[in-house]
Amino acid sequence: MELNYGYEDDEKLPSFDDPTTRMIVEKLTDHENYVIVLEDEELGVKHRSGVAEEFFKQWKDMQDIYRARDRQDKYLYDKEMLAVWQFGLGLQLRYFKLGNDDILASSDDPSSDITKTRVNRNIKTLISNFNIYLDEINHENAFSNEGKNLLAEGIDKHFTALVELYPNADFGQLERKVNLMLEKSDSASIKESLRKLKELIESKKSVI
């Protein structure tokens, strides 16, 4: 709330490059904030799912903090914005899995068509949400070189985790997005990450 509404437009926000405020951004985007609770198996699935939902709501508010651009349409805080984005990617992997685990645990027949449809709908939504991250490649020129590398690292880490978590999912939508962004991007690091992601998806098809 303070970061969204407590700063004037011309006031510098906490950033990784400022040693006096770096800790604020690091704490805000620390994945341990949610991991410590959501991966605690001594807690019930329904409880963790509820906590994950609250984190997800807060993360959506976090997304607006670092989106400002300068007069050359460059992101003022690309590293911070990507840290927030990637916080959300890691969170969503756990959020949607816990939601599906709750659906399966609460269902009379986990193998029923109705239950499978609900679970698959959630996975489809998750994949669609991940696709939004790739939309940032459309604004590639707004990033610094370091920002482009960080964007690519997010693909390597979180998209790989997505495919490994749901190897049998329908990734057709994601594949189409990857192919479009491969044509669009001029960044060597981003294109390499996209190519590796494409190969990983194709490798899962050969197993199926």
Side-chain angles (χ1 to χ4, degrees), residues 177-191:
K177 189 74 167 182
V178 168
N179 287 331
L180 289 171
M181 293 301 102
L182 274 169
E183 292 293 325
K184 190 79 176 283
S185 178
D186 292 320
S187 164
S189 60
I190 291 175
K191 289 173 81 73

Side-chain angles (χ1 to χ4, degrees), residues 98-142:
L98 284 166
N100 282 342
D101 288 348
D102 188 26
I103 289 171
L104 293 171
S106 302
S107 173
D108 290 342
D109 182 5
S111 63
S112 70
D113 288 341
I114 293 176
T115 301
K116 288 180 180 178
T117 297
R118 291 179 65 193
V119 168
N120 288 331
R121 187 186 302 124
N122 280 347
I123 295 172
K124 184 177 180 180
T125 299
L126 174 62
I127 294 170
S128 295
N129 289 353
F130 266 56
N131 263 354
I132 299 171
Y133 179 81
L134 298 185
D135 283 340
E136 292 295 342
I137 299 172
N138 286 313
H139 315 296
E140 186 177 278
N141 291 334

Side-chain angles (χ1 to χ4, degrees), residues 25 30 77 180:
V25 192
D30 186 353
Y77 303 98
L180 289 171

Side-chain angles (χ1 to χ4, degrees), residues 75-106:
Y75 283 122
L76 292 171
Y77 303 98
D78 58 348
K79 291 180 292 186
E80 293 78 12
M81 185 188 72
L82 288 169
V84 171
W85 242 122
Q86 292 171 24
F87 179 94
L89 294 179
L91 170 63
Q92 287 183 79
L93 287 173
R94 293 159 177 84
Y95 171 43
F96 280 88
K97 183 179 185 304
L98 284 166
N100 282 342
D101 288 348
D102 188 26
I103 289 171
L104 293 171
S106 302

